[in-house]
Amino acid sequence: MMKKYTAKDLETFQRDEQERLICPHGDYTEIKIFPARCCFAMGCVFGKLSSFGGYSDFGSQCIFGERCVFGVLCSFGEYCVFDKNCSFDVRNSFGHKCKFGNGCTLGEWSDFGAWSSFGERSVFGCKCEFGGHCSFDKNCDFGERCNFNSYNSFGENCNFCEKCGFGKWSGFEDGCKFGKQCDIGEYCCFGHNCSHEGLTNSIYMAVDKIGSMLQKTYFFKAEEGYFVRDGDFFGTFDEFKKQLRKTHKKTIYKTTYLMACNLAVKLLDSRWKK
């Protein structure tokens, strides 16, 4: 049977040479407030509304109740489980296959291992990093410059701020929205009514290693018309061609860009469904 600890037990635990409070395997559900720099063994259990100071470490397979609050720079082992509406400060890191309930809020610069799963309405700060094969339920919200590895799946109506990056074979359900200058990997698939660059019901194709900068250029078709994202430039096809005449004149770059525009119109028209 798992040993149950109280707040008085915390006072008897020893600290290591790094001043971390060493907390053995056990049931901590009766304790609601934990100091900073705790180090918990694997498989610990915590109750709802628990509050943890920053710089704490948790072993694998720990279980947390709903509405727990975590400070900065906490570290969690693999297979940890968090109930709904938990809140995390910045720069926390998580091992593989952690599971998060609905409505969790995670601060910026957080780092998540592969095969993690997140409930609906999860909120993530800027510059979070995610491993591959993660799954996100509907209505999740992501800050700018979040980066996702390959084979991740997203539920409907997820929202991504600008400059997020996605690996190959990512899947997005209906109604997902992408901010400016998001980078999308190969073989990604999208549901209906997705929106890129603030457009309505948009589809896209990309051409890599093009132009003088050898960068990836995105061509969109949306209800508003045809658009191009080329580095910092975003505008209509006509605006893009005008920019080409000014910047590249009669160079090979202008020729290849115009060829790409013509190809994009044909391919996007063939996929367009009103």
Side-chain angles (χ1 to χ4, degrees), residues 44-55:
C44 292
V45 178
F46 305 90
K48 65 181 181 181
L49 295 170
S50 297
S51 177
F52 301 87
Y55 304 93

Side-chain angles (χ1 to χ4, degrees), residues 1-267:
M1 184 176 177
M2 185 178 294
K3 181 175 175 58
K4 192 169 233 180
Y5 293 103
T6 66
K8 287 187 177 180
D9 292 316
L10 284 182
E11 299 174 3
T12 67
F13 293 162
Q14 300 296 311
R15 290 191 178 270
D16 65 8
E17 64 277 3
Q18 297 177 334
E19 289 300 313
R20 299 182 303 174
L21 187 66
I22 304 303
C23 303
H25 170 77
D27 182 342
Y28 292 86
T29 54
E30 290 191 7
I31 305 174
K32 296 305 178 187
I33 299 177
F34 296 85
R37 305 190 69 85
C38 289
C39 183
F40 295 93
M42 67 177 293
C44 292
V45 178
F46 305 90
K48 65 181 181 181
L49 295 170
S50 297
S51 177
F52 301 87
Y55 304 93
S56 294
D57 296 323
F58 301 85
S60 61
Q61 302 178 41
C62 289
I63 300 175
F64 303 87
E66 64 184 68
R67 289 180 285 172
C68 288
V69 178
F70 302 87
V72 300
L73 285 165
C74 292
S75 175
F76 303 86
E78 60 186 4
Y79 296 102
C80 288
V81 178
F82 305 88
D83 208 335
K84 63 183 179 181
N85 297 319
C86 289
S87 177
F88 303 81
D89 210 325
V90 300
R91 295 183 182 270
N92 290 301
S93 63
F94 303 83
H96 299 323
K97 297 188 178 181
C98 289
K99 186 175 181 179
F100 300 80
N102 296 341
C104 289
T105 303
L106 301 111
E108 60 185 22
W109 296 97
S110 295
D111 188 2
F112 303 89
W115 299 97
S116 298
S117 63
F118 304 87
E120 62 183 69
R121 301 187 310 279
S122 296
V123 179
F124 302 86
C126 304
K127 300 179 182 178
C128 291
E129 297 281 338
F130 300 86
H133 300 275
C134 293
S135 62
F136 304 84
D137 210 332
K138 62 183 179 181
N139 296 312
C140 291
D141 192 82
F142 301 86
E144 64 181 40
R145 296 179 186 270
C146 287
N147 191 48
F148 304 84
N149 213 317
S150 302
Y151 300 98
N152 290 309
S153 62
F154 303 87
E156 61 187 30
N157 297 318
C158 287
N159 183 63
F160 307 91
C161 287
E162 64 182 36
K163 297 183 178 179
C164 290
F166 304 90
K168 62 183 181 180
W169 294 107
S170 298
F172 306 88
E173 293 191 17
D174 297 351
C176 290
K177 296 181 179 180
F178 302 84
K180 297 178 180 178
Q181 292 183 275
C182 287
D183 185 27
I184 301 170
E186 298 178 297
Y187 313 117
C188 292
C189 58
F190 302 85
H192 298 296
N193 299 316
C194 288
S195 171
H196 307 84
E197 302 276 350
L199 301 173
T200 305
N201 192 23
S202 55
I203 59 175
Y204 79 97
M205 63 160 282
V207 179
D208 206 356
K209 302 293 189 293
I210 190 172
S212 58
M213 302 297 291
L214 296 178
Q215 60 192 0
K216 184 186 286 187
T217 300
Y218 291 89
F219 301 87
F220 302 94
K221 182 173 182 178
E223 292 183 11
E224 294 88 345
Y226 298 96
F227 293 83
V228 180
R229 164 63 70 186
D230 183 61
D232 291 333
F233 174 87
F234 178 76
T236 66
F237 271 34
D238 288 341
E239 291 169 339
F240 183 58
K241 291 175 182 178
K242 183 177 180 181
Q243 181 75 13
L244 289 178
R245 290 192 292 270
K246 182 185 302 183
T247 304
H248 294 300
K249 298 182 180 178
K250 296 182 179 181
T251 66
I252 186 63
Y253 304 122
K254 175 186 174 183
T255 302
T256 53
Y257 270 128
L258 291 175
M259 291 174 63
C261 287
N262 293 333
L263 175 63
V265 169
K266 292 181 179 180
L267 291 178

